[in-house]
Amino acid sequence: MSALAWQQHLLLLPVIVPLLTGALLIPVNEKHHQRKYAANLLSTLILLGCALALFNLSDKEYWPSGIGVYLAANWSAPYGIALVADRLAALMLMLTAVLALAVLVFSASRWSRIGVHFHSLFQFLLMGLNGAFLTNDLFNLFVFFEVMLAASYGLVLHGYNVDRIRAGMQYITVNLVASFLFLIGVALIYATAGTLNISDLGARAGALGHDELSLLKIGAGILALAFLTKSAMWPLGFWLPTTYAAASPPVAAMLVLMTKVGVYAMLRVWLQVFPESGGPLAGFGYTALFYGGLLTILFGGVGMLASQTPGRIAGYGAIVSSGTLLAVIGHGQPDLIAAGLFYMLGSTLATAAFMLLIEFIERIRTPGASLLAVTMEAFAIDEKPEEPVGVGIPGTLAFLGLAFAACAMVITGLPPLSGFIAKFSLFHALLNPVSGEPGLQAWALMGLVIAAGLAGIISLMRFGVRTFWAAGTVVPPRLQLSELAPVAALLLLCVGLTVLAGPVTDYLQRAADSLHQPGRYIERVLGEPVVPAPGANGERQ
Amino acid sequence: MLLPVLLILPFACSVIAACMPADARNREVWLAGLVSFGSLIGVASLFPRISAGEVIRYEAAWMPAYGLDFVLRVDGLAWLFMVLVLGIGLLVVLYAHYYMSPEDPVPRFFSFLLAFMGAMLGVVMSGNLIQLAVFWELTSVTSFLLIGYWHHRADARRGARMAFTVTASGGLCLFAGVVILGRIVGSYDLDVVLAAGDQVRVHALYFPALLLIVLGALTKSAQFPFHFWLPHAMAAPTPVSAYLHSATMVKAGVFLLMRLWPVLSGTEEWTWLVAGAGVCTLMIGSFAAIFQHDIKGLLAYSTISHLGLITVLLGIGTPLAMVAAIFHTINHATFKASLFMAAGIIDHETGSRDMRILRGLGRHMPITATLAIVASGAMAGVPLLNGFLSKEMFFAETMLVGGDTNWWMSVAALAMGVFSVTYSLRFINVFFGRPQVELPREPHEPPRWMRFPVELLVLLCLIVGVLPALSIDQILYNAVYAVQGAQMPAYDLAVWHGFNVPLAMSLAALVGGALFYRLLRRRFNPDQHDHVPLIHRFSGAQAYENVMSGLSIGADFLIRLFGTTRIQPQLLCMIVAMVAMIAVLGLPSSRHLADPFANLDPLFGLLLAIGCICAVAAAWQAKYHRLAALALLGGTGIVVSVVFLWLSAPDLALTQLMVETVTTVLLLLGLRWLPPRITPKELAIEVPRSVWLRRSRDFVLAVVGGTLLAGTTYAILLRPATDTISDFFLLRALSEGGGTNAVNVLLVDFRGFDTMGEVTVLAAVALTVYALLRRFRPAPESLTQPEQQTNPVDPAITQTPGKQAWSGYLMVAGVYLRLLLPFMLMFAAYLFLRGHNLPGGGFVAGLVFAVAIILQYMLAGAIWVEGHLNLRPFRWLGLGLITACATGLGAWIFGYPFLTSHTLHLDLPVLGELHVPSAFFFDLGVFSVVVGSTMLILIALAHQSIRSHRQPGKNAEPGTQEAA
């Protein structure tokens, strides 16, 4: 094998393209915001193309087992840094690109024009996200987490006001501490196992002695704390609702995805290093993860009931979905992962769409009217029935109402949108384990998910009724097509997920199956040959 | 293919209807009417096949992996409900055309109505359980939207919320129930499930599944104790009440019980749950109906009691009871829909629905009055009307199962019969007598076609009542056959069965009802009482409101207790988690550790001790003495740097030293703009005990955490070096990385990809700081100048920093520092060039370069420096990143992966042989980014001083507040 096939380079583009775009845009003056926007858009479209190509290549098994490996700097794993694209990574790349595209188009008319360097930071954020999804190296994962976080610090503060500064302060501090934990964890793991490559780590972990194992567990545990802080597990996730509620809508939409990165990292690292069965480390931490997930669902559900503002409701909704995913991973049942991934897709898209919607909702909300409505609900006052003639709803308001309803349906898991399908597949997998009867854990998870859904219904309905129905005559806001289209597109994707539930779940099942075979990753990553030096027989190892 | 078309058509037309203009009343009606009429014809065409006992199925793959297909399935029962949904839908559309005011925005109305029609068809046609749950919730959603149609009214909003909360919760229960049922059977397909009754009833999960499914059905059909939502749902426009809340949607619950009857019924639990709820509902509903003032309220409670009747029949569980249940479902739909429409006509033509003021309407609207009276007769169970037949079957069944032991069932049935006669009388009373109060409008007959639906339905009541065998027999047979299959009971739909007990009960109910009505009017005039006697205290609606506000308050309390919005508790949680993690996982094996002080070099120990003391002291001082804390932090940094040197890592030591220098200076610059913190001592405040306790706790935690981490580190260091990948780096650094400095080769070659990410982080952070500080205004209290700079004796205060450095008191320092600049730059270049082989490299060189610039700023102020030097930090940043990236991409041209390094061997005339590794250019990029980001942060901080003079009331010269 001599030169690399062009398909190999596709693995790198999701990292390099946003880096180059972001770098190019730094010196460009904000006066040229149109050009900056165009460059940003082009880059995001390229990312979408890349993600689609990778999606196709990994699913068509262009590479053995559908796992593509890219050895950065031409050093073989585990010495150099390996990027790995499997079905799951390709899916996450696609989700990132789709969401980024929607958010970018949304912010074109307003948010990207206030403040400076929005576009550069946005591209760096994409770089960090994509890198975190692709890398197969723990320290490199740390680096990409940092890229993502550094960019998000800037974005959370974007368009700043007192709220954003206060929330940003919390967000940055908590994440810095989490990064320290990450670093400590990686250092301990490296010192114990002598490697940073995740697949290699899985391969070596089995051969460690007793003392080393306990050190490795400490390292992995501290690492998990970092991941769990990002995925907002109770009691590590208090920062989330505050940050979501304060961030500007497009940034909040991207934050929704960032919360999922913690879950993704958990999935990737845990399933490879601590498989559910086999080896001395089998099953480590799963129980804690499961019960942590349950508590998180509970906390999120209660939080939704207690919240009155849309940002906080969405934040607690995101906590519920994080908790569900953590519990799903912790339950340790292979066929549950596919259902969990389906759930994640829908909830990410819908919560992000909801975050964008909040922008419009804030434009129509009249605090006085909704306060009156709250009081009347509290005292159950019945007005004298007025003349039974309806009030016309202008087109934009009707759109907002419908979009809100759709978001609420996906978030709470009401049929017919993807949230329901996700819950069905979760319950089906929970109640139909491959062997034996569903245990108490399965029932507890199912009950909590339903209860959290009900809490969401009550909370979102309360909010929706107050906003869209009780607010009296509201002046329909002026909305631009570039703001409406992304919201509509995200929701249409949720509809698409419902209609195409069959093929999508099949794909996710293949992705989950592959995750549960760490041996394949070890084989693929450690076996990937380097490109030999020209002419020389001094082949690099 | 007919089935999917039937299902999709209403949804598609719903979208079309929504897009029509607000005043397109006629078009909307035509659209909705044609859809229902066409679909009705389609359904009717299936009748021969259904009568032949065929089950028509349509299947499409949906989620085969989960055993879930999209299945539409029509048998006799589904067919019957489809006809109900479409037929009454058609009449309601026609009726709504006249009922809705011209100002009403009808597109929304018809759009929701059509969507509901589709959802309801979906429920009855569903061929698998999950799909049924989907459409089930859809009917709840559309019902919510229709109840809230007049959403500017508080009662509509309240009714909509109540209905939705109850029915959606029930829907969730149903969902869970059918998933469990699917688990028991092993399939969600209805045909498979229906055939598995025996297997289901003995399964351990039977009761949970039954309970959840029944909960779903009871909430939907407004059964006790969830019946309270239905009267509040009457805030909807009357066509909606007629359609959803009497004829179709509330029947979905009983439909579900009928559908799953072969699977779930026939057990003790079933009877107790279903029949028990039904009996309660029937009594409460019929009793409460008597005391309503609103016509629609009366009809709503009557609906509740009739649904209770059907539920009781289903709960009884005999085959004949099932026949009666289905029969009564049809009958109730016809007479109740017509009654609601009549009520709507009264409301529409008189402007009131209050039975206390409505009198003598028979004179003004004789035809409507006749129709309503006939329909009420059906409701009361008057012979020769359809209600009589099914009610008689009901009496017969209660007698049969009741016998001597369960005699209460017969009593309840009779009481319900009496009450229903009473409220029917109360209702028709509005047509008689003479009006006492002026009505809002002069009553008159409605338009011809508004009355038509009522006429048709009443005609049906009569036909079925007089000629049941001819009219309804086959339809009923199909439906019952669909449920019971082979065990078809023998039944006789005749008007006259001879004198028997049920007939006696019917007559007794009629007579008793009339007497009870007279008694009531004499002794307890319902018109003069606002509440239902006996049961008004048990208000479900009030309980609902209490639960909702309780949930909200309770949740708020819990969130305060178990959550926080503050940063300190959050950090506490994280640190506690870390400490717990180490303690739980590490302490059990900690006894293997050797004594750490055995072979300690005293000097090294002292060094570490200094570092520790500095760190602890920094934390101790951080709250009130930031400057001291910062200095102490710098001390720790220096110690770390010396430790690196001690352990033979000069490269790290050098970098650490530079990083410490630059960050400390930048932090100090930022510190200038923070308002001072005054210690409690200075303010003469006593620190509260709780605060003291909290700080002590934090201190203990910090010490414990630090000790545990140190212990872990120590444990790691004690381990013998096993096979790690680090040897590889040392071995290959020169031979393949082309450099003798393994650290630098690691940074730019082995793990150059990491470095590229790190510099991006640096760039992002710099951009963030710049964006944040660009418009930042310092707090007012930190604007005042330090004392040293305001002393009038000092001539320097009149000079700008630039002047001070040029000719003022800083002249000596200025000359030296400017002289030093080229040397520092040279030193940076030196460090950069030797980096690949000896300690140095792009990162540290960039820092040295930045220090050189910082010195100039500190000396002469931002204005002077920027007047003489064009720094352009953005270009440094952008170009640096692009250079690093482009170097990496260069490898692509030669067919190698990103960042593969290559060393060029040049033979230059004077310099001799020169090795130019590609990593050199990569390092150049790193250098550029480091310089750019440091300068950007520096500029962002330095410009605070230039900007702050714009504050009103300040007349200091620009730049005089230069920090440090």
Side-chain angles (χ1 to χ4, degrees):
Chain A
M1 177 180 155
S2 58
L4 284 181
W6 65 270
Q7 285 95 337
Q8 285 299 117
H9 292 308
L10 281 177
L11 267 78
L12 191 71
L13 284 184
V15 178
I16 292 305
V17 170
L19 172 61
L20 277 177
T21 317
L24 274 173
L25 292 180
I26 293 177
V28 179
N29 196 298
E30 296 295 328
K31 277 185 302 198
H32 308 294
H33 61 81
Q34 293 286 9
R35 274 182 236 172
K36 284 189 149 192
Y37 171 68
N40 204 341
L41 194 64
L42 182 68
S43 155
T44 313
L45 284 172
I46 293 175
L47 290 185
L48 186 61
C50 267
L52 279 172
L54 282 176
F55 190 81
N56 220 4
L57 288 177
S58 64
D59 200 36
K60 297 269 161 56
E61 307 238 337
Y62 168 79
W63 298 290
S65 313
I67 301 169
V69 180
Y70 190 89
L71 301 174
N74 207 21
W75 291 103
S76 65
Y79 307 108
I81 295 167
L83 300 182
V84 165
D86 58 353
R87 291 184 180 88
L88 179 62
L91 181 79
M92 297 307 290
L93 289 180
M94 192 137 87
L95 185 63
T96 311
V98 165
L99 202 59
L101 200 59
V103 167
L104 188 62
V105 172
F106 178 86
S107 57
S109 63
R110 184 163 166 211
W111 283 102
S112 67
R113 299 185 186 191
I114 60 174
V116 287
H117 296 300
F118 175 84
H119 292 292
S120 294
L121 290 172
F122 189 80
Q123 288 294 318
F124 290 153
L125 178 71
L126 293 185
M127 171 193 171
L129 284 165
N130 289 343
F133 292 139
L134 282 170
T135 189
N136 195 42
D137 184 282
L138 269 185
F139 187 75
N140 197 234
L141 182 65
F142 171 73
V143 169
F144 280 116
F145 258 73
E146 286 307 302
V147 173
M148 173 181 93
L149 289 171
S152 77
Y153 298 154
L155 288 172
V156 165
L157 292 168
H158 182 76
Y160 59 81
N161 53 26
V162 176
D163 275 352
R164 285 189 189 127
I165 300 235
R166 192 172 288 145
M169 167 92 184
Q170 189 168 357
Y171 176 71
I172 293 173
T173 315
V174 168
N175 275 299
L176 280 180
V177 174
S179 297
F180 276 128
L181 293 178
F182 197 145
L183 208 50
I184 292 171
V186 170
L188 290 178
I189 290 175
Y190 178 62
T192 326
T195 187
L196 287 168
N197 186 296
I198 299 175
S199 303
D200 192 33
L201 190 60
R204 289 185 186 213
L208 292 177
H210 178 264
D211 283 359
E212 275 88 9
L213 272 186
S214 69
L215 280 173
L216 182 68
K217 280 180 179 176
I218 295 179
I222 295 180
L223 186 68
L225 281 185
F227 293 153
L228 294 176
T229 305
K230 312 228 161 162
S231 47
M233 185 174 99
W234 187 85
L236 305 173
F238 302 133
W239 58 271
L240 189 142
T242 313
T243 312
Y244 273 35
S248 57
V251 177
M254 289 311 286
L255 280 177
V256 175
L257 184 62
M258 287 178 57
T259 321
K260 305 293 185 286
V261 179
V263 177
Y264 173 86
M266 209 61 215
L267 196 61
R268 179 115 297 187
V269 175
W270 234 250
L271 290 187
Q272 283 199 44
V273 182
F274 306 107
E276 284 132 2
S277 55
L281 288 165
F284 169 63
Y286 281 88
T287 317
L289 201 57
F290 178 77
Y291 287 106
L294 287 195
L295 286 176
T296 311
I297 300 176
L298 202 62
F299 179 69
V302 172
M304 280 184 107
L305 275 180
S307 309
Q308 313 284 345
T309 56
R312 295 196 86 84
I313 296 178
Y316 282 112
I319 288 185
V320 170
S321 86
S322 262
T324 311
L325 289 170
L326 292 177
V328 161
I329 300 176
H331 195 251
Q333 186 184 326
D335 52 339
L336 202 57
I337 299 288
L341 289 176
F342 191 90
Y343 177 77
M344 183 192 67
L345 284 182
S347 90
T348 308
L349 290 174
T351 315
F354 188 65
M355 283 299 177
L356 299 183
L357 261 186
I358 289 175
E359 160 98 8
F360 308 135
I361 292 174
E362 293 299 335
R363 286 188 212 166
I364 60 167
R365 250 161 87 88
T366 42
S370 57
L371 192 70
L372 187 68
V374 176
T375 324
M376 289 191 355
E377 277 162 24
F379 293 98
I381 298 170
D382 279 320
E383 283 172 1
K384 284 269 167 258
E386 293 162 33
E387 186 67 8
V389 170
V391 180
I393 295 186
T396 47
L397 272 184
F399 170 81
L400 290 189
L402 271 182
F404 171 80
C407 286
M409 279 174 152
V410 181
I411 293 173
T412 58
L414 278 183
L417 295 183
S418 63
F420 177 81
I421 307 293
K423 280 192 183 169
F424 161 69
S425 42
L426 272 185
F427 294 168
H428 177 86
L430 275 176
L431 292 192
N432 296 281
V434 180
S435 59
E437 290 291 306
L440 199 62
Q441 287 196 347
W443 292 111
L445 179 55
M446 184 168 156
L448 270 182
V449 168
I450 289 184
L454 186 59
I457 289 174
I458 291 174
S459 167
L460 282 165
M461 180 176 60
R462 184 175 60 197
F463 173 76
V465 167
R466 278 177 200 164
T467 306
F468 293 100
W469 282 1
T473 44
V474 282
V475 185
R478 291 176 59 79
L479 303 180
Q480 311 217 349
L481 184 66
S482 70
E483 293 178 310
L484 293 183
V487 179
L490 289 179
L491 291 172
L492 279 179
L493 277 176
C494 289
V495 176
L497 279 181
T498 314
V499 177
L500 298 176
V504 174
T505 43
D506 287 348
Y507 179 88
L508 294 176
Q509 193 60 56
R510 287 195 292 275
D513 286 347
S514 142
L515 276 183
H516 281 90
Q517 287 162 328
R520 283 196 190 171
Y521 286 85
I522 295 173
E523 192 181 305
R524 280 291 294 132
V525 173
L526 300 185
E528 180 75 9
V530 297
V531 181
N537 49 7
E539 202 175 293
R540 282 170 141 187
Q541 196 169 336
Chain B
M1 273 317 282
L2 180 62
L3 300 189
V5 172
L6 281 177
L7 182 64
I8 291 167
L9 199 60
F11 287 114
C13 291
S14 160
V15 176
I16 297 173
C19 297
M20 288 191 184
D23 55 350
R25 281 163 67 77
N26 289 327
R27 269 185 285 163
E28 295 277 358
V29 172
W30 276 110
L31 176 75
L34 281 178
V35 169
S36 357
F37 188 67
S39 304
L40 196 58
I41 303 253
V43 173
S45 73
L46 297 175
F47 186 65
R49 289 169 69 186
I50 299 291
S51 296
E54 191 183 342
V55 175
I56 305 166
R57 275 175 73 96
Y58 168 86
E59 280 182 49
W62 190 18
M63 289 172 76
Y66 290 84
L68 190 62
D69 286 318
F70 184 80
V71 183
L72 296 177
R73 176 184 180 281
V74 177
D75 58 4
L77 186 68
W79 187 89
L80 169 68
F81 272 87
M82 286 171 84
V83 169
L84 275 182
V85 169
L86 290 168
I88 296 186
L90 177 61
L91 297 177
V92 163
V93 167
L94 179 62
Y95 177 78
H97 178 246
Y98 297 96
Y99 181 84
M100 302 305 282
S101 151
E103 286 93 56
D104 266 322
V106 283
R108 188 153 50 97
F109 179 81
F110 284 106
S111 168
F112 292 160
L113 202 70
L114 283 169
F116 167 77
M117 187 185 282
M120 198 62 209
L121 286 177
V123 169
V124 298
M125 284 159 77
S126 285
N128 82 50
L129 297 172
I130 301 301
Q131 199 184 322
L132 187 133
V134 168
F135 287 110
W136 183 277
E137 288 285 30
L138 265 185
T139 60
S140 296
V141 173
T142 42
S143 153
F144 168 74
L145 294 170
L146 282 168
I147 298 172
Y149 176 70
W150 287 322
H151 56 71
H152 54 285
R153 289 168 40 173
D155 61 333
R157 293 196 296 268
R158 187 168 171 228
R161 279 182 55 188
M162 202 182 285
F164 189 68
T165 312
V166 175
T167 52
S169 314
L172 287 177
C173 291
L174 170 71
F175 175 38
V178 293
V179 174
I180 298 176
L181 191 57
R183 145 87 199 161
I184 299 174
V185 178
S187 166
Y188 300 104
D189 191 280
L190 198 58
D191 281 319
V192 183
V193 173
L194 289 181
D198 295 331
Q199 181 195 342
V200 171
R201 280 186 289 267
V202 294
H203 199 276
L205 290 176
Y206 166 71
F207 185 67
L210 172 75
L211 184 69
L212 289 167
I213 291 173
V214 167
L215 274 178
L218 295 186
T219 48
K220 197 78 166 180
S221 279
Q223 296 297 292
F224 178 82
F226 311 108
H227 60 282
F228 59 88
W229 69 264
L230 190 58
H232 287 272
M234 293 299 133
T238 303
V240 173
S241 306
Y243 191 30
L244 272 69
H245 303 127
S246 78
T248 54
M249 189 188 89
V250 289
K251 298 276 171 36
V254 289
F255 168 78
L256 179 73
L257 294 180
M258 291 172 190
R259 186 84 281 179
L260 296 179
W261 193 82
V263 192
L264 297 176
S265 77
T267 61
E268 196 101 316
E269 295 95 330
W270 165 275
T271 307
W272 277 108
L273 276 176
V274 178
V279 168
C280 294
T281 315
L282 167 143
M283 296 294 291
I284 292 173
S286 55
F287 184 66
I290 301 173
F291 301 94
Q292 300 303 308
H293 303 310
D294 181 1
I295 300 181
K296 280 178 78 177
L298 182 147
L299 293 177
Y301 276 106
S302 149
T303 304
I304 291 174
S305 88
H306 280 274
L307 289 168
L309 188 157
I310 300 172
T311 310
V312 172
L313 282 170
L314 292 170
I316 288 172
T318 57
L320 265 178
M322 168 55 74
V323 178
I326 296 176
F327 191 29
H328 196 69
T329 305
I330 308 171
N331 294 339
H332 179 254
T334 46
F335 67 68
K336 195 50 69 65
S338 63
L339 280 171
F340 265 109
M341 290 185 197
I345 289 174
I346 294 171
D347 186 17
H348 200 254
E349 304 307 335
T350 67
S352 173
R353 295 194 314 240
D354 193 334
M355 287 183 289
R356 285 170 296 187
I357 59 171
L358 290 169
R359 283 291 178 277
L361 295 180
R363 219 168 308 151
H364 303 285
M365 37 174 79
I367 305 177
T368 308
T370 317
L371 293 171
I373 291 168
V374 174
S376 311
M379 175 161 80
V382 173
L384 294 184
L385 292 169
N386 58 0
F388 169 74
L389 294 175
S390 46
K391 212 175 257 184
E392 202 182 34
M393 289 165 96
F394 169 60
F395 289 146
E397 284 312 303
T398 53
M399 286 295 299
L400 188 72
V401 295
D404 295 332
T405 46
N406 288 339
W407 51 268
W408 51 269
M409 222 166 196
S410 308
V411 173
L414 189 61
M416 182 264 182
V418 169
F419 292 151
S420 65
V421 173
T422 311
Y423 64 68
S424 300
L425 283 172
R426 174 132 198 261
F427 170 56
I428 61 173
N429 194 33
V430 301
F431 299 109
F432 301 105
R434 77 184 50 251
Q436 287 137 10
V437 202
E438 188 68 18
L439 290 172
R441 274 181 229 143
E442 182 61 31
H444 57 84
E445 281 288 345
R448 171 80 191 82
W449 287 101
M450 185 175 186
R451 213 174 50 214
F452 174 75
V454 190
E455 292 168 353
L456 190 69
L457 288 168
V458 169
L459 187 67
L460 286 176
C461 289
L462 272 168
I463 294 175
V464 173
V466 178
L467 299 166
L470 286 179
S471 56
I472 198 79
D473 196 24
Q474 184 63 43
I475 295 172
L476 189 60
Y477 178 85
N478 290 344
V480 175
Y481 178 78
V483 178
Q484 306 198 326
Q487 313 153 6
M488 254 333 252
Y491 62 92
D492 178 22
L493 278 188
V495 180
W496 181 250
H497 287 114
F499 283 109
N500 52 16
V501 182
L503 182 65
M505 280 172 84
S506 287
L507 293 178
L510 281 173
V511 176
L515 289 175
F516 187 55
Y517 181 67
R518 284 189 66 91
L519 187 74
L520 268 185
R521 292 210 68 88
R522 293 256 176 82
R523 296 288 160 90
F524 184 91
N525 191 347
D527 286 357
Q528 288 161 11
H529 287 81
D530 271 346
H531 296 295
V532 182
L534 300 176
I535 55 169
H536 73 265
R537 291 190 190 285
F538 309 101
S539 163
Q542 193 55 50
Y544 165 84
E545 296 291 352
N546 291 347
V547 167
M548 285 299 127
S549 65
L551 273 181
S552 190
I553 294 166
D556 207 46
F557 173 75
L558 284 176
I559 283 298
R560 274 169 217 279
L561 195 62
F562 292 105
T564 178
T565 54
R566 293 186 306 129
I567 186 166
Q568 285 89 347
Q570 171 69 94
L571 292 179
L572 180 75
C573 285
M574 294 174 72
I575 301 300
V576 166
M578 186 196 79
V579 167
M581 186 76 75
I582 299 177
V584 171
L585 294 174
L587 285 184
S589 50
S590 61
R591 61 184 182 282
H592 303 297
L593 294 186
D595 176 14
F597 301 105
N599 297 317
L600 187 70
D601 185 327
L603 207 56
F604 190 58
L606 183 68
L607 193 63
L608 289 179
I610 294 174
C612 286
I613 293 169
C614 280
V616 172
W620 174 46
Q621 289 294 316
K623 192 169 170 71
Y624 293 112
H625 303 283
R626 299 195 192 99
L627 188 63
L630 212 52
L632 288 164
L633 217 53
T636 312
I638 301 284
V639 167
V640 170
S641 165
V642 176
V643 168
F644 282 145
L645 207 55
W646 187 290
L647 298 174
S648 318
D651 216 332
L652 290 187
L654 185 61
T655 312
Q656 174 73 25
L657 194 66
M658 288 319 294
V659 168
E660 281 303 323
T661 313
V662 173
T663 45
T664 308
V665 170
L666 289 179
L667 280 173
L668 282 171
L669 289 178
L671 211 57
R672 165 69 183 85
W673 303 110
L674 289 183
R677 279 195 107 137
I678 305 162
T679 57
K681 211 181 205 172
E682 288 168 289
L683 290 172
I685 306 171
E686 202 168 325
V687 180
R689 199 171 167 71
S690 61
V691 174
W692 187 83
L693 273 176
R694 194 189 69 221
R695 287 190 195 149
S696 309
R697 178 201 65 194
D698 291 350
F699 179 75
V700 171
L701 184 69
V703 170
V704 171
T707 314
L708 283 176
L709 265 186
T712 316
T713 316
Y714 180 66
I716 294 274
L717 291 175
L718 280 189
R719 283 185 60 242
T722 44
D723 66 317
T724 66
I725 56 171
S726 51
D727 297 338
F728 176 89
F729 298 131
L730 292 176
L731 289 174
R732 306 287 177 114
L734 184 59
S735 62
E736 288 169 36
T740 50
N741 179 1
V743 174
N744 187 269
V745 176
L746 199 65
L747 285 177
V748 298
D749 189 351
F750 292 114
R751 299 188 71 92
F753 200 54
D754 277 344
T755 309
M756 209 183 60
E758 298 285 14
V759 292
T760 316
V761 173
L762 212 52
V765 168
L767 290 179
T768 302
V769 171
Y770 172 75
L772 181 67
L773 292 182
R774 203 173 59 104
R775 293 271 168 78
F776 181 75
R777 291 283 176 275
E781 60 262 42
S782 44
L783 281 180
T784 48
Q785 303 218 344
E787 257 175 64
Q788 299 90 324
Q789 291 182 19
T790 49
N791 188 346
V793 182
D794 187 355
I797 63 155
T798 58
Q799 293 178 320
T800 62
K803 270 192 203 156
Q804 288 167 359
W806 190 245
S807 56
Y809 76 111
L810 278 176
M811 198 172 84
V812 175
V815 169
Y816 276 114
L817 282 177
R818 269 173 216 146
L819 195 63
L820 209 52
L821 180 67
F823 288 99
M824 291 184 77
L825 298 188
M826 186 67 101
F827 183 56
Y830 167 71
L831 283 177
F832 176 75
L833 286 175
R834 76 202 284 257
H836 214 47
N837 295 318
L838 292 164
F843 191 79
V844 73
L847 287 173
V848 170
F849 191 99
V851 168
I853 304 286
I854 292 174
L855 275 179
Q856 299 304 314
Y857 262 87
M858 283 165 62
L859 178 73
I863 291 179
W864 188 87
V865 175
E866 280 162 31
H868 292 78
L869 264 178
N870 205 347
L871 289 172
R872 301 183 192 281
F874 293 125
R875 289 198 187 170
W876 283 93
L877 274 181
L879 280 178
L881 286 175
I882 291 169
T883 310
C885 206
T887 312
L889 286 176
W892 281 16
I893 301 168
F894 305 102
Y896 284 92
F898 186 66
L899 279 176
T900 307
S901 68
H902 180 73
T903 307
L904 200 63
H905 297 277
L906 289 180
D907 244 337
L908 291 182
V910 184
L911 297 168
E913 192 191 358
L914 207 63
H915 300 276
V916 187
S918 63
F920 174 83
F921 296 100
F922 182 77
D923 222 11
L924 194 64
V926 173
F927 168 79
S928 171
V929 173
V930 172
V931 172
S933 43
T934 321
M935 285 196 306
L936 191 56
I937 297 176
L938 175 71
I939 289 174
L941 284 166
H943 281 217
Q944 297 302 316
S945 62
I946 303 177
R947 237 180 267 132
S948 57
H949 77 276
R950 290 186 207 140
Q951 295 289 325
K954 299 295 292 183
N955 50 5
E957 286 182 52
T960 48
Q961 302 179 27
E962 190 56 53

